[in-house]
Amino acid sequence: MNAIEMKSITKRFGPLVANDHIDFDLQKGEIHALLGENGAGKTTLMRILYGLYHADSGQILVDGSPVHITSPKDAIGWGIGMVSQHFTLVSPLTVAENVVLGYNKGYIYRPQEVIQNVTKAANQFGIDVEPSAIIRHLSVGERQRVEILKALYHNAKVLIMDEPTAVLVPQEVDILFQTLERLRKDGLSVIFISHKLYEVMTICDRITVLRDGKKIGTVLKNDTSERELARMMVGRETFGVYRQGEQKAGNPLLRIENITAVDKKGLTALKNVSLNVYEGEVLGIAGVSGNGQSELTQVLSGTLKPASGKIFIGDKEITNASPSEITRAGVGRIPEDRHAGVVGELTVAENLALESIEKFTRRSTLDKRLILKNAEQLISEYQIKARPTDPIRTLSGGNMQKVILARALSPEPRVVIASQPTRGLDVGATEYVRTKLLEQRNRGAAVLLLSEDLEEVMSLSDRIAVIYEGQIVGIVPGTEATEEQLGLMMTGARQEVKQHG
Amino acid sequence: MDTFIVGLIAATLRVATPLIYGTLGELYSERSGVLNLGIEGTMFFGAFVGFAAADATGSLWLGVLAALLGGMLAGLLMAFFSVRLGVNQHVSGLGITLLLTAVSLFFFRLIYGEPRIPPSIRSFDQLQPFGNLPIIGPITTQYALTYISFLIIPLAWWVLYRTNVGLNIRAVGENPEAADAAGVNVYRVRSYALMIGGGLMAVGGAFLSLAQLGAFTYGIIAGRGWVCIALIIFANWQPAKVLWGALLFGGVFALQLRLQSTGLNLPYETFLALPYVVTIIALAIAGRNATGPAAVLKAYKRE
Amino acid sequence: MVKFRIEKAPAPLWIKPLIPLIAIIVTFLVTSILVVMANANPLEAYYYFLLSPLSNRVSALETLVKATPLLLTGASVTIAFASGYWNIGAEGQLYAGAIAAAGLGMVLGNFPPILAIPIMLIGGFAAGMLWASIPALLKVKLAVDEVVTTLLLNSVILFIVSFLLNGPWRDPVSGWPQSPQIVDSAQLPRLISRSRLHLGFLVAIIMILIVWFILTRTSLGLKMRAVGHGQEAARFMGVNVGQTMLTAALISGGIAGLAGVTEVAGIHFHLIDAISPGFGYSGIIAATLGALNPLGVGLAAMFIGLIDTGAQTVSRSLGVPVYLGNVVQATLLLVTLGMFLLQNYRIRRD
Amino acid sequence: PQQAAAPKTETGKVKVFGAFATPIEEPWDGVIHAALQKAQEEGKIEYEYTENIGYSGDMERILQETAEQKKPNVIFGDAFGNEEAVRRVAAQYPDIAFVFGSGLGPSEPNVSVFDNWIHEPAYLAGMLAGGLTKTNKVGIVGGYPVPEVNRLANAFIAGAKEVNPEVQVLVTFINSWFDPAAAKEAALAQIDNGADVLYAERFGVIEAAKEKNLWVFGNMSDQNELAPDLVVTSPVWNMTPTVEYVIKQVTAGSYTAQDLKDFSMVAKGGASLAPFHSTESKLPADLVAKVKEKEQAIKSGLFRVDIDERQPAAVN
Ligand SMILES: Nc1ncnc2c1ncn2[C@@H]1O[C@H](COP(=O)(O)OP(=O)(O)OP(=O)(O)O)[C@@H](O)[C@H]1O
Ligand SMILES: Nc1ncnc2c1ncn2[C@@H]1O[C@H](COP(=O)(O)OP(=O)(O)OP(=O)(O)O)[C@@H](O)[C@H]1O
Ligand SMILES: [Mg+2]
Ligand SMILES: [Mg+2]
């Protein structure tokens, strides 16, 4: 029998039809993937199921009987749990408090008793968390486990996971998959959203593909292939993007010397990091999230002052320089969180101009015509689907990322710092971004690529540095690197530090 | 201990009483994620409603009850605008202060006309649990509402940390999206918190009209609501610390009046400004650590 | 049971221009209950509220007089809020400007008006900036929440005013807590004879236009809006967030300080502790009703001025308690705010 | 120069307008309003008023509007905090009599001033206080140390010292016109400091006396009903003589700008000591007799109470 059946679900946002008469069913004990490009309507469909949105029309059946779900509370009541892309945890509260939140019975709240119950549940479901820990102190992977435990504690029979692996490293992904496998055996049904086809092929039983709000079809894993799925998603064949040709020996354009930095909580996040990135190469940095990548980007972007050490662009020292001085020195930056790289309420044109505002200012008055012209030019050059006067928050993730690329790359920077450039992007958009980055390399720029996606690091980098607990634990040539070796280094197994080139 | 100190302590407790109610009320609002600048008006409204009800029914306790209910209504109104509709919290709070002050005065006029001397009633008697014992006797000679305010502090803590309503309030004040996803009705929890808060604020106002004065006049709150806004930060949003903040302010206020009457003539403005300045300095020292509940000032709207 | 829910979707377009009108009608329906309770005719009451101030030249001009400080505090709040700096302290900054105006106004006797008045305006602007700099620096340097510090400093400056008026500045002529009258040359000239409309009104209009120009036409304004809508992103794009916010806070304080100058030098010629019945707070209302669009803020300030002017007429003419004016104002504020938000929503049946 | 014209209303009554900066619950404006209402009830005038005008610039507009639209014969009000506004408008309408409470002098041609001059009954109250105190300490709680308040306090002190040279008088200003809770706290502070008789210049003090069961004096109007057993009496200000005088002058067409001070003093019935009500029986007879004698002396002009407008010390 079907655990869930969604019949002819339609949801409009103004003129946009995010879900167009979608039928979807989930069998008991299966892991069912939902695939689709950015904006295909996956999240929307799941938010409807979880009561966060209301469908304009359509019907939801749980265990065969029609139900009305108007809030997450209803959904939880019907045995549905959701782990969203952005975690929904209250950070000053404890794990146990988060788990029982909204579900604790009676009027009185007894902390000890709740911790006991949650400990029991964690053991029962085999989920490794410390119930009395404060969420704020947990890693991303741990937080995700809290989310899962929360759903299970609420008696979820159906678990929706929206891009759960986007924030995890391979080892954590393995743990997650093991957990899901085990839970599935106990009768849990899972809806699994991901952009990574190999993950979908690893863990799922069936796959439903959405495109532009419409359902393209549902296929059995055993009857399909990654290539077919990609074609269903984008409507054409796709090919991976790989670096071509060998790196020419060049000058170091970006030199990082003994950088030590302290994060917001006062902990040492970077310890004596030294790196050179050469003309015409991509240096990839691989690592489990939270090992100092964010701080490294922030230091290089001018938004975090290092405690010691020096940074040079060519011969120019930019240690402690402000973001605008750094861009002027010839650095193009792609931030790890694209929403943190643009001001949502401002227009596309304004976002494109702000970084180099002096160029668009005459006697401190804005040259509006120049700003518009600049935007129109970049929009057509980078094939951005937007108008210059659209507030940038209305753009899809891929288009927003293109705006950021256009802004960072159009001045032809000598150094490009790209952090998680394709996180959450669909196949097509990912391909575009990777191509653009390799264009920079081929043009002679030094590209520093930070990514938690090993496949991405391996296919683009000439050299790969691995970061662990704020230190570079090794550098390997891209041609020699294997996934196992990198994975080991990422968990702290130390390698002999080799500088290449 | 001489009478100066004893009198000072007793006065401090009296002056602190309305501030304790008001600050606890604001604490509940803010812990749920709503800065309630309607506090000044809500206290005024409580003073008026309490007085009018006590006058009409002849029962002071019915007056307190009426103030409590009136304050909860005021909290509900704040909830409607700031929570339901998601109106900017500064503006809705200021609007509610303006509205409740004006409405109170309007009805005061309709009921009492234009009296030459403020209408008065027989106010609460003070309790004297220790009779005329030296020192302890005069210090403990206080209104029942003062005693209740001290009892409400642990109660407020208990509700916040040991009930599910309290857990929900803390959650929606920090991360309403998360609470919502966990099945907590953010709007409802915030509305409850604002109603509890409004009720407390109004009782603080009613203390002035029913206990301290036994009368209602237009200047009766005289900015005490704004003082509470300062105290809440001083108290770092912790119920227990509200006590210390209120006592500090009450003590300084009582002290300057007492020093004046002994002939020591200091510029009283310095004294009165002291609690504000101390709060600002405390904030400067605590700096970023003194940030309140994360969701304060942010309206929650499920997309 | 039929359930309704509110859903995010733009309301039909024709609603937009009607919003202020609907808000006014709703307000009047709600407050009519009070008018009836006071044994008066609501229609008459609203005639006095809205139309009588405009029915003759004198009171129409008075509406503008009343709007002058609101235009300034509205402009002040607008530039701060647009930059994400929640300045609740326009009231205190107004008093800082008023103190400066009263102080300068006592000593500028030897200067001709052409010098004295600019000195007054600059002095008031500087004083507003100075007072605003305390919470602004605390915010920028130590990340201290400005909502509370600005609110608290409003009370603190009243103690300073009280200290001055009861001490060194007490008027020797009347003995009352008010500063001595400012010299003639420092008084703002009247714009129109037989009315009180003074130069301050022009200053206020100019400030509204300046704020509009800064926000929409300058790189500073773009930076301010960027900071206002997304500090982290703005910082990433090379905007000096602290400096931008500080600039906004100081300009905001300065403009509020000008409101103090116009009241002292245009209306009172003394400093008194009741010089503002909450213009700083009304400025927040004007800024919000005007949706932080300087031109809208200007209109909102004028409208508040109109209601303020009408309120006393209502009570005088109909014998309704004078507080009705405040009730109407507060209700209108809340209703309009609600309406503004509702225009982004549709009400649907489940 | 005599300017004001005789009344020309349909009813033949003088048309009077009241313009008050505060709400009329405020005692000072309340006294003026009460006298005007009384005159209206007695059929002597037509009366309309506006209150709560405030100090932020509305006074001028309202006076101007009133003068233009209502064309009253007389405008009564208080000019404190609005002095220039009143005088500026008055100058534009020389046909209207402007009679305002003010600390300054009259202005030609049409601004007359009055003030509350209840220092004489305050002196008498001081005598009673000096005689009643057991601890030889009495207290005064006032608003701001302005001349109007200072002269009451100083007269009260002088009266107390006359009957009891030993007495100490405590003076506290709460520095607000309206914060009854603060006034009460100030009074309680004085009581803790030994005061056993209080003078309630501001509202809130009587509540403290009530709580501690002490003698207390009201102010401005007869406040006996606030605590019938404890309010000995109150120095009372009565505007009726002023109002009647002005009406007579206006009716006769002989109104001029003048200082109406005398009409607010004991001799003309503008100031008095309120009746003792039920407290009289509990007061020492000789003290009462002494006070009544002094009252006569003041009325007949044989005794003059000094007008001292300097701020009194905190302890006298
Ligand atoms: N609250 C909203 N208001 C307006 N449009 C929305 C809203 N939420 C989603 N959309 C639009 O609906 C469409 C579907 O979005 P949805 O988030 O469901 O896509 P998705 O498949 O989850 O994409 P992604 O892979 O990027 O997560 C998009 O075009 C998006 O812009
Ligand atoms: N208020 C809104 N108005 C219009 N569209 C919106 C609104 N909020 C969100 N959207 C749409 O939602 C989509 C963003 O959804 P989502 O958060 O899944 O983006 P994303 O690109 O996947 O980002 P990420 O995965 O990095 O968070 C965008 O396509 C945008 O068009
Ligand atoms: Mg999605
Ligand atoms: Mg996404």
Side-chain angles (χ1 to χ4, degrees), chain C residues 4-29:
Chain C
F4 290 90
R5 62 192 157 80
I6 296 173
E7 179 172 283
K8 192 158 183 170
L13 259 185
W14 50 266
I15 294 235
K16 238 172 204 176
L18 291 182
I19 281 181
L21 204 65
I22 299 174
I24 292 171
I25 292 170
V26 171
T27 303
F28 289 170
L29 289 179

Short mmCIF file of all heavy atoms in Angstrom, two decimals, chain C residues 4-29:
data_model
loop_
_atom_site.label_atom_id
_atom_site.label_comp_id
_atom_site.label_asym_id
_atom_site.label_seq_id
_atom_site.Cartn_x
_atom_site.Cartn_y
_atom_site.Cartn_z
N PHE C 4 -11.15 30.91 6.89
CA PHE C 4 -10.45 31.80 5.98
C PHE C 4 -8.98 31.77 6.30
O PHE C 4 -8.59 31.54 7.43
CB PHE C 4 -10.97 33.23 6.13
CG PHE C 4 -12.35 33.40 5.61
CD1 PHE C 4 -13.44 33.21 6.44
CD2 PHE C 4 -12.56 33.73 4.28
CE1 PHE C 4 -14.73 33.35 5.95
CE2 PHE C 4 -13.84 33.88 3.79
CZ PHE C 4 -14.93 33.69 4.63
N ARG C 5 -8.19 31.97 5.28
CA ARG C 5 -6.78 32.11 5.61
C ARG C 5 -6.19 33.22 4.76
O ARG C 5 -6.73 33.59 3.71
CB ARG C 5 -6.05 30.79 5.41
CG ARG C 5 -6.07 30.31 4.01
CD ARG C 5 -5.60 28.86 3.99
NE ARG C 5 -6.07 28.18 2.82
CZ ARG C 5 -5.49 28.29 1.63
NH1 ARG C 5 -4.44 29.05 1.49
NH2 ARG C 5 -5.97 27.64 0.60
N ILE C 6 -5.08 33.72 5.27
CA ILE C 6 -4.43 34.81 4.57
C ILE C 6 -3.27 34.21 3.79
O ILE C 6 -2.53 33.39 4.28
CB ILE C 6 -3.91 35.85 5.57
CG1 ILE C 6 -5.09 36.47 6.30
CG2 ILE C 6 -3.11 36.91 4.88
CD1 ILE C 6 -4.68 37.38 7.42
N GLU C 7 -3.15 34.60 2.57
CA GLU C 7 -2.14 33.98 1.73
C GLU C 7 -1.37 35.07 1.02
O GLU C 7 -1.90 36.12 0.67
CB GLU C 7 -2.86 33.11 0.72
CG GLU C 7 -1.96 32.43 -0.23
CD GLU C 7 -2.76 31.45 -1.07
OE1 GLU C 7 -3.10 30.36 -0.56
OE2 GLU C 7 -3.07 31.80 -2.21
N LYS C 8 -0.09 34.79 0.84
CA LYS C 8 0.73 35.81 0.21
C LYS C 8 0.49 35.84 -1.28
O LYS C 8 0.80 34.91 -2.00
CB LYS C 8 2.21 35.54 0.48
CG LYS C 8 3.07 36.71 0.09
CD LYS C 8 4.39 36.70 0.82
CE LYS C 8 5.16 37.95 0.42
NZ LYS C 8 6.33 38.15 1.21
N ALA C 9 -0.09 36.90 -1.72
CA ALA C 9 -0.33 37.12 -3.14
C ALA C 9 -0.77 38.56 -3.24
O ALA C 9 -1.50 39.04 -2.37
CB ALA C 9 -1.43 36.21 -3.64
N PRO C 10 -0.32 39.24 -4.27
CA PRO C 10 -0.67 40.66 -4.32
C PRO C 10 -2.19 40.85 -4.42
O PRO C 10 -2.87 40.12 -5.14
CB PRO C 10 0.04 41.16 -5.58
CG PRO C 10 0.51 39.96 -6.30
CD PRO C 10 0.56 38.82 -5.34
N ALA C 11 -2.68 41.81 -3.69
CA ALA C 11 -4.10 42.11 -3.76
C ALA C 11 -4.37 42.74 -5.12
O ALA C 11 -3.46 43.19 -5.79
CB ALA C 11 -4.47 43.06 -2.64
N PRO C 12 -5.63 42.73 -5.54
CA PRO C 12 -5.94 43.36 -6.83
C PRO C 12 -5.40 44.79 -6.89
O PRO C 12 -5.39 45.50 -5.88
CB PRO C 12 -7.46 43.36 -6.87
CG PRO C 12 -7.92 42.46 -5.78
CD PRO C 12 -6.79 42.16 -4.89
N LEU C 13 -4.94 45.18 -8.06
CA LEU C 13 -4.25 46.45 -8.20
C LEU C 13 -5.07 47.66 -7.78
O LEU C 13 -4.55 48.61 -7.22
CB LEU C 13 -3.82 46.63 -9.67
CG LEU C 13 -2.35 46.33 -9.94
CD1 LEU C 13 -2.02 46.64 -11.39
CD2 LEU C 13 -1.47 47.15 -9.00
N TRP C 14 -6.39 47.58 -8.05
CA TRP C 14 -7.20 48.77 -7.80
C TRP C 14 -7.26 49.10 -6.32
O TRP C 14 -7.67 50.18 -5.90
CB TRP C 14 -8.61 48.60 -8.38
CG TRP C 14 -9.29 47.30 -7.99
CD1 TRP C 14 -9.30 46.13 -8.69
CD2 TRP C 14 -10.02 47.05 -6.79
NE1 TRP C 14 -9.99 45.18 -8.02
CE2 TRP C 14 -10.45 45.70 -6.85
CE3 TRP C 14 -10.36 47.82 -5.68
CZ2 TRP C 14 -11.20 45.12 -5.83
CZ3 TRP C 14 -11.11 47.24 -4.68
CH2 TRP C 14 -11.51 45.89 -4.75
N ILE C 15 -6.84 48.14 -5.46
CA ILE C 15 -6.90 48.40 -4.02
C ILE C 15 -5.89 49.45 -3.60
O ILE C 15 -6.15 50.27 -2.75
CB ILE C 15 -6.63 47.08 -3.25
CG1 ILE C 15 -7.76 46.12 -3.53
CG2 ILE C 15 -6.43 47.35 -1.78
CD1 ILE C 15 -8.45 45.58 -2.34
N LYS C 16 -4.74 49.42 -4.29
CA LYS C 16 -3.62 50.23 -3.82
C LYS C 16 -3.96 51.70 -3.55
O LYS C 16 -3.77 52.18 -2.44
CB LYS C 16 -2.46 50.12 -4.80
CG LYS C 16 -1.24 49.60 -4.07
CD LYS C 16 -0.11 49.28 -5.00
CE LYS C 16 0.79 48.26 -4.31
NZ LYS C 16 1.87 47.80 -5.14
N PRO C 17 -4.44 52.40 -4.57
CA PRO C 17 -4.72 53.82 -4.31
C PRO C 17 -5.82 54.01 -3.27
O PRO C 17 -5.93 55.09 -2.68
CB PRO C 17 -5.15 54.35 -5.68
CG PRO C 17 -5.53 53.15 -6.47
CD PRO C 17 -4.72 52.02 -5.95
N LEU C 18 -6.61 52.97 -3.06
CA LEU C 18 -7.73 53.13 -2.14
C LEU C 18 -7.30 52.92 -0.68
O LEU C 18 -8.05 53.24 0.23
CB LEU C 18 -8.82 52.12 -2.48
CG LEU C 18 -9.54 52.38 -3.80
CD1 LEU C 18 -10.63 51.36 -4.01
CD2 LEU C 18 -10.14 53.79 -3.80
N ILE C 19 -6.09 52.38 -0.49
CA ILE C 19 -5.71 52.00 0.87
C ILE C 19 -5.82 53.13 1.90
O ILE C 19 -6.48 52.97 2.92
CB ILE C 19 -4.29 51.39 0.89
CG1 ILE C 19 -4.43 49.94 0.42
CG2 ILE C 19 -3.68 51.42 2.28
CD1 ILE C 19 -3.15 49.18 0.40
N PRO C 20 -5.23 54.30 1.60
CA PRO C 20 -5.37 55.36 2.61
C PRO C 20 -6.83 55.70 2.87
O PRO C 20 -7.25 55.90 4.00
CB PRO C 20 -4.64 56.54 1.97
CG PRO C 20 -3.75 55.94 0.94
CD PRO C 20 -4.42 54.70 0.47
N LEU C 21 -7.59 55.69 1.79
CA LEU C 21 -9.01 56.05 1.91
C LEU C 21 -9.74 55.01 2.77
O LEU C 21 -10.49 55.35 3.69
CB LEU C 21 -9.62 56.08 0.50
CG LEU C 21 -10.87 56.95 0.39
CD1 LEU C 21 -10.51 58.40 0.65
CD2 LEU C 21 -11.50 56.78 -0.98
N ILE C 22 -9.50 53.73 2.46
CA ILE C 22 -10.15 52.68 3.24
C ILE C 22 -9.72 52.78 4.70
O ILE C 22 -10.54 52.67 5.61
CB ILE C 22 -9.79 51.28 2.68
CG1 ILE C 22 -10.26 51.17 1.23
CG2 ILE C 22 -10.44 50.19 3.51
CD1 ILE C 22 -9.82 49.90 0.55
N ALA C 23 -8.44 53.03 4.89
CA ALA C 23 -7.93 53.13 6.27
C ALA C 23 -8.67 54.24 7.01
O ALA C 23 -9.08 54.07 8.16
CB ALA C 23 -6.44 53.40 6.25
N ILE C 24 -8.84 55.37 6.34
CA ILE C 24 -9.52 56.48 7.00
C ILE C 24 -10.96 56.11 7.32
O ILE C 24 -11.45 56.35 8.43
CB ILE C 24 -9.45 57.75 6.11
CG1 ILE C 24 -8.00 58.23 6.04
CG2 ILE C 24 -10.36 58.84 6.63
CD1 ILE C 24 -7.77 59.33 5.04
N ILE C 25 -11.60 55.46 6.37
CA ILE C 25 -13.00 55.09 6.61
C ILE C 25 -13.11 54.08 7.76
O ILE C 25 -13.92 54.24 8.67
CB ILE C 25 -13.63 54.51 5.32
CG1 ILE C 25 -13.75 55.64 4.27
CG2 ILE C 25 -15.00 53.92 5.61
CD1 ILE C 25 -14.13 55.17 2.90
N VAL C 26 -12.25 53.08 7.73
CA VAL C 26 -12.29 52.08 8.81
C VAL C 26 -12.04 52.75 10.17
O VAL C 26 -12.76 52.51 11.14
CB VAL C 26 -11.23 50.97 8.57
CG1 VAL C 26 -11.13 50.07 9.80
CG2 VAL C 26 -11.59 50.16 7.35
N THR C 27 -11.02 53.61 10.20
CA THR C 27 -10.73 54.31 11.43
C THR C 27 -11.94 55.07 11.94
O THR C 27 -12.28 55.03 13.12
CB THR C 27 -9.58 55.31 11.20
OG1 THR C 27 -8.47 54.59 10.72
CG2 THR C 27 -9.21 56.01 12.49
N PHE C 28 -12.60 55.74 11.02
CA PHE C 28 -13.72 56.56 11.45
C PHE C 28 -14.90 55.71 11.90
O PHE C 28 -15.60 56.05 12.85
CB PHE C 28 -14.11 57.54 10.35
CG PHE C 28 -13.07 58.62 10.21
CD1 PHE C 28 -13.07 59.51 9.17
CD2 PHE C 28 -12.05 58.74 11.17
CE1 PHE C 28 -12.11 60.49 9.06
CE2 PHE C 28 -11.09 59.72 11.07
CZ PHE C 28 -11.11 60.59 10.01
N LEU C 29 -15.06 54.57 11.25
CA LEU C 29 -16.13 53.69 11.71
C LEU C 29 -15.83 53.22 13.13
O LEU C 29 -16.68 53.25 14.02
CB LEU C 29 -16.27 52.48 10.77
CG LEU C 29 -16.87 52.82 9.41
CD1 LEU C 29 -16.94 51.57 8.54
CD2 LEU C 29 -18.26 53.42 9.58
#
